Amino acid sequence: MKFDTPAGTNPIDQLKVIGKPTDRIDGPLKTTGRAPYAYERHDVVANPAYGYVVGAAIAKGSIRSMDLRAAKAAPGVLAIVTAENAGKLGKGNMNTAKLLGGPDIQHYHQAVAVVVAETFEQARAAAQLVRVDYARAEGRFDLAEEAKRAPLDGENSGEGSAAPPIARVGNFEGAFKAAPVTLDATYTTPDHTHAMMEPHATIAAWNGDKLTLWTSNQMIAWGKSEVARTLGIPKENVRLDSPYVGGGFGGKLFVRADAILAALGARAAGRPVKLALQRPLIANNTTHRPATIQRIRLGADRDGRITAIAHESTSGDLPGGGPETAVSQTRLLYAGENRMTAMRLAVLDLPEGNAMRAPGEAPGMMALEVAMDEMAEKLGMDPVEFRIVNDIQFDPEKPERRYSQRQLNECLRLGAERFGWSKRNPKPGQVRDGRWLVGMGVAAGFRNNLLMKSAARVRLDGRGVVTVETDMTDIGTGSYTIIAQTAAEMMGVPLSYVVVKLGDSDMPASAGSGGQWGANNATAGVYAACVKLREAVAAKLGFNSADAAFADGEVRSGNRRARLADAATAGELVAEDQIEYGDLGKKYQQSTFASHFVEAAVDSFTGEIRVRRMLAVCAAGRILNPKAARSQVIGAMTMGVGAAIMEELAVDKRFGFFVNHDLAGYEVPVHADIPHQDVIFLDEVDPMSSPMKAKGVGELGLCGVGGAVANAIYNATGVRVRDYPTTLDKHLTRLPPIA
């Protein structure tokens, strides 16, 4: 199905199933431990062996020699694979570094060997006996130092956030110099790790020259191609199966070492192999969000209208990598006739930087939304009003390209009303609650809507049961449920008559999960397949498909009606199709918007920060399942709190690795850190987006939250911290006097 004209009225608009707050159909499996995650697929192979990865102990250099004798002689060892005996390996297009290092080492904890043994404990013990002699080389590990000579570099995150090396509209420098009120500030964000609960894990089995990987991966079609490319085997000989993913956040968009080394280990041992990356390797061996140094300059008239806006960001990555696209939202979010954005990329020998939790906008808005707050204060304006005054309904770089929907101002106004923003004291450091300094902060939320081709297959059997098959993944986001809701709405059956099968590369290729593109595109693909099935059913039952209505397990037209199941009495009906997009995404800027409001308290004695209240108001097209969408947003808001006040990978700048590479040293929010969270969805449909008239919402709940938290802390204390995370040591000595 080609979607190249705005969506008109269609069966989804009935809203009998779609749009209802529906319990997740996979919930009972997960709460009873019956949902099969990758490492726990006890049903797929018999008698698997276990793999354990040896990570490089240097960040840059080479392997002089590797002594495997003691490890090979250890109890239970079946095989040890290194670059010397693995055979010729390629590198996936989506990997910056090789997944098996040697002799050259590109980053700390790059895999250099996998030990395969009868038990996990035997594999782990033998791995400690591998002796590697390294030749350490000088590396580049300090972003601030390398930023001094970093060249301009543009990139697309692949998640709807893109920017050229430098983009200009008008004359920024002249307008900034002439502006009566200006701001010039620099902000930094640190390296972050995904910190998903489920580690990267795979069970690999060979059947002749065919490989099956039961793995934890967000993008099955991508993964299938990348495994084939890396191992040098035909794509049709690779199958990935990933029905449940225990968190990915971008860290499982791409094939990682667990999949490749499990496959190599299984081939060497002649047995299926199960392998999970140990927690320290997840931070250093896989991908992370790169640190940024961001300079923002704003110039405005005294009435608050921005006349000049510039955002420059520097980040680092391995040779061949790309920058964190932190300036992308600044190209679109606010008015300003004179504009400039630029990105620089420093070459670092730290582990690979890549997609994580809303790449681009998440760290970019942590800076931009604080800068907007600072500028509002300079102007003597309310921060909400300052943002409203600078609303824009078109792409400022292409004024003829209007937004398909843009209700940012509505989000801000409603959020201010519901949060009690009028009670905020605009003078910082004035509100106390016992020993606590209390403040409120606001930030806009912004995330682009990305359209991607997505396919599905639907089946109707003689019982009237509809089965949906697509390689779409459920990474804890509710894909099973919204796909079932879509099929139920389209075919006129209750949810209990829909079966959803996901995550298998033998099924039609979907958009996959990432960048908040999954829900809209995957359900649109199911919609397209259901349209074909409706046509087949109508033909079988003698109806005109254009006139037929599907409801309550029946097909109806005029005075005629027939049971849906009757269409399949002679055999199962099968239909397959995909959603393909025309140029509506180019004609109209498609984005999602939010307002984030936060109340925070800071202990006037210790500097301890506590978030007390949070509110998100979101405008993101049709909300397919408000219950699941709310869960997405409050989870994202929680991540925003983490980024604002605690998350930071500590870089050892001598040896080039992340020191706090486990969940004991890398702090993330827990239940005690998170207060009551409210979420409001504006009533919105976007006919330019898809037949579902939906857009993404998951990452919108994160973008801007860090800035809102930081602004609330400033309003509470009067101390502005521009270097994230805002830990107590950064403002303790500057807090207002206690008495």
Side-chain angles (χ1 to χ4, degrees):
M1 172 184 287
K2 189 71 174 288
F3 182 75
D4 51 10
T5 58
T9 302
N10 65 43
I12 294 297
D13 295 327
Q14 299 173 106
L15 300 181
K16 293 178 180 178
V17 190
I18 284 290
K20 303 300 183 186
T22 306
D23 290 347
R24 281 166 50 171
I25 61 177
D26 52 316
L29 291 176
K30 291 183 174 178
T31 54
T32 57
R34 292 179 292 138
Y37 291 90
Y39 200 74
E40 301 157 352
R41 295 299 298 272
H42 308 303
D43 57 322
V44 294
V45 297
N47 195 28
Y50 292 79
Y52 196 91
V53 175
V54 178
I58 62 171
K60 186 175 176 62
S62 61
I63 297 173
R64 288 197 186 98
S65 63
M66 191 179 296
D67 186 350
L68 305 178
R69 289 172 296 179
K72 285 181 176 179
V77 171
L78 301 171
I80 301 177
V81 180
T82 69
E84 283 195 354
N85 63 9
K88 184 179 179 181
L89 295 177
K91 183 175 75 66
N93 291 338
M94 297 175 181
N95 299 132
T96 305
K98 292 182 178 180
L99 297 181
L100 179 60
D104 294 333
I105 300 300
Q106 295 169 278
H107 62 84
Y108 188 81
H109 271 171
Q110 184 176 22
V112 297
V114 59
V115 177
V116 180
E118 293 285 356
T119 69
F120 169 78
E121 291 79 10
Q122 289 173 331
R124 180 178 60 185
Q128 314 311 313
L129 301 176
V130 174
R131 297 289 176 258
V132 186
D133 181 23
Y134 296 100
R136 191 190 305 273
E138 288 294 318
R140 296 156 290 189
F141 312 127
D142 188 336
L143 176 61
E145 181 61 32
E146 298 304 320
K148 299 172 184 176
R149 45 191 163 271
L152 290 164
D153 195 311
E155 188 59 74
N156 187 335
S157 70
E159 295 200 17
S161 304
I166 188 164
R168 290 183 176 276
V169 175
N171 178 6
F172 164 75
E173 286 80 5
F176 183 75
K177 186 176 181 180
V181 183
T182 60
L183 171 77
D184 186 344
T186 298
Y187 308 84
T188 66
T189 63
D191 298 286
H192 289 150
T193 189
H194 301 84
M196 71 288 286
M197 288 184 68
E198 181 200 25
H200 294 72
T202 299
I203 297 175
W206 292 86
N207 182 7
D209 59 357
K210 296 187 182 299
L211 171 67
T212 300
L213 299 176
W214 296 271
T215 190
S216 185
N217 188 277
Q218 297 174 229
M219 300 292 294
I220 300 302
W222 290 4
K224 180 184 175 92
S225 296
E226 292 285 270
V227 168
R229 185 175 290 109
T230 304
L231 297 178
I233 62 178
K235 189 167 70 171
E236 57 268 23
N237 286 1
V238 177
R239 177 186 170 218
L240 267 64
D241 189 23
S242 189
Y244 294 94
V245 180
F249 313 126
K252 296 175 182 173
L253 285 174
F254 319 115
V255 169
R256 301 307 308 170
D258 61 296
I260 299 303
L261 295 188
L264 293 172
R267 187 164 62 187
R271 289 242 313 260
V273 166
K274 63 164 48 183
L275 186 155
L277 290 184
Q278 52 269 42
R279 185 63 63 176
L281 261 67
I282 293 175
N284 285 295
N285 174 278
T286 67
T287 62
H288 71 284
R289 189 205 303 287
T292 68
I293 302 170
Q294 302 179 50
R295 182 189 183 190
I296 296 178
R297 286 174 285 174
L298 299 173
D301 292 336
R302 296 200 181 279
D303 63 2
R305 298 188 182 278
I306 295 174
T307 57
I309 181 168
H311 190 166
E312 300 166 84
S313 178
T314 301
S315 58
D317 202 359
L318 288 166
E324 178 71 29
T325 54
V327 306
S328 58
Q329 73 290 318
T330 308
R331 300 174 64 196
L332 291 163
L333 188 51
Y334 294 118
E337 293 182 3
N338 303 283
R339 318 172 69 85
M340 187 270 284
T341 58
M343 293 191 297
R344 295 182 180 275
L345 179 63
V347 175
L348 296 177
D349 298 302
L350 292 172
E352 179 181 344
N354 217 313
M356 175 180 156
R357 304 186 204 160
E361 289 97 337
M365 296 195 73
M366 289 172 73
L368 176 64
E369 289 305 295
V370 172
M372 289 293 288
D373 215 59
E374 294 196 56
M375 190 64 171
E377 185 177 45
K378 281 195 166 196
L379 289 160
M381 289 184 70
D382 178 87
V384 171
E385 187 60 27
F386 179 50
R387 289 169 171 84
I388 289 173
V389 164
N390 287 288
D391 184 53
I392 190 168
Q393 292 293 319
F394 53 84
D395 179 346
E397 294 179 15
K398 301 174 182 177
E400 71 282 0
R401 189 167 177 254
R402 299 191 65 80
Y403 280 94
S404 59
Q405 296 279 349
R406 180 176 165 125
Q407 294 196 79
L408 174 58
N409 284 359
E410 289 79 358
C411 291
L412 288 163
R413 290 190 176 102
L414 181 59
E417 176 190 336
R418 294 290 183 89
F419 200 71
W421 183 255
S422 61
K423 298 176 183 177
R424 169 183 175 269
N425 190 325
K427 186 175 180 181
Q430 302 302 302
V431 179
R432 292 179 182 265
D433 179 8
R435 63 187 292 159
W436 296 91
L437 297 160
V438 182
M440 295 186 194
V442 66
F446 174 91
R447 179 73 173 171
N448 275 324
N449 182 54
L450 191 60
L451 303 177
M452 296 177 68
K453 185 165 61 176
S454 192
R457 182 165 52 238
V458 287
R459 303 176 182 272
L460 174 68
D461 68 17
R463 300 166 298 158
V465 172
V466 177
T467 299
V468 183
E469 298 170 343
T470 172
D471 80 356
M472 179 61 182
T473 51
D474 191 317
I475 59 176
T477 49
S479 299
Y480 279 100
T481 309
I482 59 172
I483 284 172
Q485 288 176 270
T486 302
E489 192 80 78
M490 290 295 293
M491 301 310 300
V493 298
L495 272 180
S496 58
Y497 272 63
V498 179
V499 175
V500 178
K501 297 180 179 180
L502 299 181
D504 190 331
S505 64
D506 285 349
M507 298 172 183
S510 72
S513 296
Q516 77 173 24
W517 67 64
N520 179 45
N521 292 292
T523 55
V526 174
Y527 172 97
C530 285
V531 168
K532 274 201 169 181
L533 184 59
R534 285 165 61 107
E535 292 171 352
V537 168
K540 204 77 171 176
L541 296 175
F543 286 91
N544 182 342
S545 62
D547 301 330
F550 289 66
D552 303 321
E554 294 183 337
V555 185
R556 303 165 184 166
S557 180
N559 294 325
R560 287 190 61 211
R561 62 175 58 197
R563 292 173 62 245
L564 179 68
D566 290 346
T569 53
E572 184 181 58
L573 293 184
V574 182
E576 183 174 330
D577 202 358
Q578 64 183 5
I579 193 75
E580 295 182 85
Y581 295 96
D583 61 356
L584 289 177
K586 296 178 181 178
K587 289 181 178 177
Y588 296 90
Q589 175 58 42
Q590 296 188 18
S591 304
T592 61
F593 300 90
S595 62
H596 292 289
F597 290 83
V598 171
E599 180 178 282
V602 179
D603 191 304
S604 57
F605 290 88
T606 68
E608 175 189 359
I609 299 165
R610 289 289 178 191
V611 175
R612 289 188 167 187
R613 289 190 297 137
M614 303 181 76
L615 167 67
V617 182
C618 303
R622 170 173 283 147
I623 303 302
L624 304 176
N625 181 349
K627 190 170 188 177
R630 179 184 182 277
S631 292
Q632 280 278 277
V633 173
I634 65 173
M637 293 161 74
T638 301
M639 292 176 182
V641 172
I645 64 176
M646 62 185 72
E647 289 193 49
E648 177 178 17
L649 282 169
V651 180
D652 186 321
K653 296 177 183 177
R654 303 164 302 164
F655 300 115
F657 70 100
F658 301 128
V659 181
N660 53 335
H661 46 223
D662 57 35
L663 294 182
Y666 184 84
E667 294 188 32
V668 296
V670 297
H671 288 296
D673 296 309
I674 301 302
H676 180 72
Q677 297 166 306
D678 281 325
V679 180
I680 299 171
F681 296 113
L682 296 191
D683 186 11
E684 176 180 293
V685 293
D686 193 336
M688 305 298 178
S689 176
S690 78
M692 305 300 294
K693 303 173 187 174
K695 292 186 281 199
V697 73
E699 290 175 287
L700 178 65
L702 167 60
C703 299
V705 174
V709 174
N711 292 335
I713 293 169
Y714 172 73
N715 182 243
T717 64
V719 180
R720 181 66 76 182
V721 176
R722 298 189 179 101
D723 300 306
Y724 289 97
T726 308
T727 47
L728 59 89
D729 57 296
K730 293 174 183 173
H731 64 200
L732 181 58
T733 60
R734 297 188 285 159
L735 293 179
I738 293 170

